[in-house]
């Protein structure tokens, strides 16, 4: 059994990184939640470093509008430094626009690598 709180960390990642519109707050969250040199794997590419991950999160939020957010869908599962959290996203109070999962490899209690998996629509 692992001492990592996968659910808390992956939920914090959704809320404090991918829902955070303030770049300074997002940078602070990244420094607390991620290792120094994280890698994020997206369907269309690989993103390296905290600043680059922050830029991707900010761009997504700008692209989809002020009332768009990511929400956890259930409780994260995990063991042996690997965690998985399903999520959904869309306008607050509106229909779900996209669903997917974040799979994270942890180093200690920080995210080292994150895979963003989108469900087929």
């Amino acid at each position: 059994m692992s001492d990592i709180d996968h659910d808390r960390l992956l939920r914090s990642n959704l809320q404090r990184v991918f829902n955070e519109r303030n770049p300074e707050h997002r940078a602070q969250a990244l420094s607390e939640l991620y290792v120094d040199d994280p890698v994020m794997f997206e369907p269309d590419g690989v993103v390296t470093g905290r600043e680059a991950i922050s830029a991707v999160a900010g761009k997504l939020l700008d692209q989809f509008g002020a009332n768009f957010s990511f929400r956890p869908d259930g409780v994260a599962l995990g063991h042996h430094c690997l965690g998985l959290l399903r999520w959904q996203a869309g306008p607050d109070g509106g229909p779900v626009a996209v669903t997917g999962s974040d799979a994270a490899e942890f180093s200690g209690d920080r995210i080292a690598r994150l895979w963003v998996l989108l469900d087929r629509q």
Side-chain angles (χ1 to χ4, degrees):
M1 206 60 193
S2 172
D3 290 337
I4 299 169
D5 188 342
H6 299 94
D7 190 59
R8 181 186 64 78
L9 292 167
L10 287 168
R11 285 173 181 268
S12 291
N13 182 56
L14 270 187
Q15 186 61 39
R16 297 181 59 212
V17 176
F18 287 90
N19 282 337
E20 180 56 64
R21 285 174 164 67
N22 181 311
E24 293 171 359
H25 293 167
R26 191 167 52 243
Q28 179 62 38
L30 280 156
S31 72
E32 294 172 12
L33 296 170
Y34 284 78
V35 297
D36 291 340
D37 56 350
V39 179
M40 181 173 73
F41 302 91
E42 295 188 295
D44 295 329
V46 178
V47 179
T48 303
R50 292 177 183 167
E51 288 182 18
I53 293 171
S54 181
V56 168
K59 184 177 177 183
L60 282 171
L61 292 170
D62 289 344
Q63 176 183 348
F64 291 112
N67 69 344
F68 181 89
S69 65
F70 293 90
R71 297 174 293 281
D73 184 13
V75 177
L77 305 172
H79 59 81
H80 294 95
C81 299
L82 180 70
L84 178 77
L85 177 66
R86 293 206 38 78
W87 49 260
Q88 55 184 289
D92 296 335
V96 173
V98 63
T99 60
S101 300
D102 286 344
E105 177 186 358
F106 291 88
S107 177
D109 61 352
R110 292 184 181 202
I111 297 169
R113 297 193 295 174
L114 180 72
W115 287 264
V116 178
L117 307 167
L118 302 180
D119 292 333
R120 293 182 186 199
Q121 300 295 320

